[in-house]
Amino acid sequence: MAEIDRYRLADRRAIDALYRRVFGHDAADANRFRWDWQYARNPNNPSGVPEIWVAREGPTIVGQYATMPVRLWVKGQEVYGSWGMDVMVAPERQRQGLGEILFRTWDQNVGAALGLGLSESSYRLFKKLKWPDVGPLPCLVKPLTRRALRRPSWPMAINRLVSALTLPLVLVVSRTKPLVAQVEPIRRFDAGFTALWERLTPKLDLSVRRDAEYLTWKFIEPPHVRYTIVALKREDRIDGYVVYRHVQEPRGRVTLLVDFLTDPDDEEGFKTLLRWVDREARSADSDKIRAFAMHAGFRKLMKQSGYFSVKSTIDFTAKINAVEVGEAFYQHLENWHVTLGDSDQDR
Ligand SMILES: CC(C)(COP(=O)(O)OP(=O)(O)OC[C@H]1O[C@@H](n2cnc3c(N)ncnc32)[C@H](O)[C@@H]1OP(=O)(O)O)[C@@H](O)C(=O)NCCC(=O)NCCS
């Protein structure tokens, strides 16, 4: 019978070997590269001891649940929660109930249990446990060139035809528009960003606390990706930011709009940031911009700026334990702020 307890320093090699067996060599190498930053340097884990639960059978590790602790704003209060990620059970021990015990142990130890981008098996397990399914995380795309609507699954002839037919629309939505507020590239999040977060909390029902410390760790310090960040400034006040990067995908180049924050009612401010990203995407020769956004206010402004809703690939589950929220909380997601920058989705 397996025993579940917290991660110890001496477990690192055995967990790495198990990760290799479950997820393969490439994923294990990438995980190793991120590990210190992701688990030991998270500012929401001041003890420095990774928030990982381990399933042991004698000296052997047969499973783990690794998480990313965050401070979560939930309807007017801050609770300690965590994103669940990298849950795994040794192949020969799967489908014997160990995963369920790991999920429940994590849940019993956190004020809020959050999951983004689930695998088929973990999605089914969340369903079996009857955790609130609040996904998928809405996905939006802004086409910039006629290659934007291509799909790897379509034959080339179909892709060419779609590109030709949609070209007039793409030319309209991708027009350059002028910027109307000051936008400035930054390499540091300072106290002005914490002040922005604190000003905006009354407008949000759920969001990870996006203060300067968290933003620095999440978007400036990661070893595996390099982001570009710009701030929206009015006089000396920080009124918003956006985080993005450009990637090459099989059918073209994509600018990922990874994370952002402004007042959702600040139409001029948010649209200015979107226009900045448009220009950057165009100068990076991107075919489209892709974003994930839960908040209905931001999505509305994105649609007015040429973004279209497309099918999302990211499932989302959230279970609030520390405060009583009631069932309706999970049905009204308009003011939840969740993006691709949350959890460790952008790897
Ligand atoms: C996800 C995982 C940790 C679950 O652990 P587990 O010990 O197999 O889970 P349990 O035995 O407690 O399974 C309970 C339920 O999970 C779901 N489930 C687990 N594995 C599944 C699979 N391969 N296909 C479909 N459903 C699955 C089922 O609902 C199952 O209930 P059932 O057996 O009554 O049908 C394990 O399957 C795993 O390591 N998967 C590979 C890695 C992975 O995908 N991690 C998730 C990353 S987000």
Side-chain angles (χ1 to χ4, degrees), residues 93-320:
R93 295 291 277 113
Q94 288 178 12
R95 286 317 259 277
Q96 297 163 39
L98 254 182
E100 185 168 336
I101 299 173
L102 280 165
F103 276 54
R104 286 193 194 281
T105 307
W106 166 50
D107 181 44
Q108 282 157 11
N109 282 279
V110 289
L114 307 163
L116 206 57
L118 317 170
S119 72
E120 175 67 18
S121 46
S122 64
Y123 180 73
R124 280 178 192 264
L125 184 43
F126 278 121
K127 279 265 181 225
K128 184 178 174 189
L129 296 174
K130 299 201 166 48
W131 286 25
D133 179 359
V134 290
L137 183 61
C139 180
L140 298 109
V141 165
K142 175 164 181 166
L144 299 178
T145 73
R146 63 193 170 77
R147 291 184 300 274
L149 295 140
R150 288 183 181 179
R151 288 201 184 179
S153 54
W154 290 344
M156 204 43 171
I158 302 285
N159 273 317
R160 287 216 175 99
L161 180 67
V162 170
S163 295
L165 292 175
T166 51
L167 182 60
L169 175 71
V170 169
L171 290 177
V172 172
V173 297
S174 66
R175 274 175 320 198
T176 309
K177 303 218 176 75
L179 303 179
V180 289
Q182 192 192 341
V183 178
E184 200 178 291
I186 53 163
R187 284 309 299 158
R188 199 169 81 86
F189 287 101
D190 61 21
F193 292 86
T194 305
L196 168 71
W197 162 255
E198 276 159 6
R199 271 201 321 274
L200 297 184
T201 49
K203 304 226 170 170
L204 305 172
D205 287 344
L206 179 141
S207 169
V208 165
R209 179 183 168 90
R210 283 160 159 78
D211 60 10
E213 225 190 343
Y214 169 82
L215 294 170
T216 301
W217 170 71
K218 197 72 174 50
F219 301 119
I220 294 196
E221 294 176 353
H224 59 294
V225 275
R226 187 163 163 87
Y227 294 115
T228 306
I229 306 160
V230 296
L232 177 77
K233 285 191 178 169
R234 288 192 181 101
E235 292 169 3
D236 277 340
R237 201 174 70 159
I238 300 290
D239 272 351
Y241 71 84
V242 64
V243 178
Y244 56 93
R245 69 184 182 110
H246 315 289
V247 294
Q248 190 63 43
E249 292 187 350
R251 287 281 179 211
R253 202 162 157 75
V254 181
T255 296
L256 296 174
L257 205 173
V258 175
D259 194 50
F260 54 86
L261 188 65
T262 61
D263 184 328
D265 297 320
D266 179 2
E267 179 173 340
E268 178 193 275
F270 188 55
K271 284 186 173 170
T272 297
L273 286 173
L274 293 178
R275 282 174 199 168
W276 174 281
V277 176
D278 287 355
R279 288 167 182 227
E280 289 278 289
R282 243 181 250 110
S283 63
D285 221 9
S286 281
D287 298 313
K288 58 182 151 188
I289 306 169
R290 186 184 302 125
F292 290 83
M294 198 83 192
H295 196 289
F298 292 127
R299 274 190 287 134
K300 185 173 141 204
L301 297 177
M302 289 171 116
K303 286 183 183 164
Q304 290 170 4
S305 307
Y307 286 76
F308 296 88
S309 288
V310 298
K311 190 172 180 300
S312 174
T313 47
I314 301 186
D315 291 312
F316 179 23
T317 180
K319 183 166 174 288
I320 312 301

Side-chain angles (χ1 to χ4, degrees), residues 9-28:
L9 260 180
D11 296 334
R12 179 92 185 256
R13 283 181 72 166
I15 290 183
D16 187 49
L18 181 61
Y19 201 101
R20 229 160 257 283
R21 283 177 65 209
V22 174
F23 294 107
H25 290 294
D26 288 351

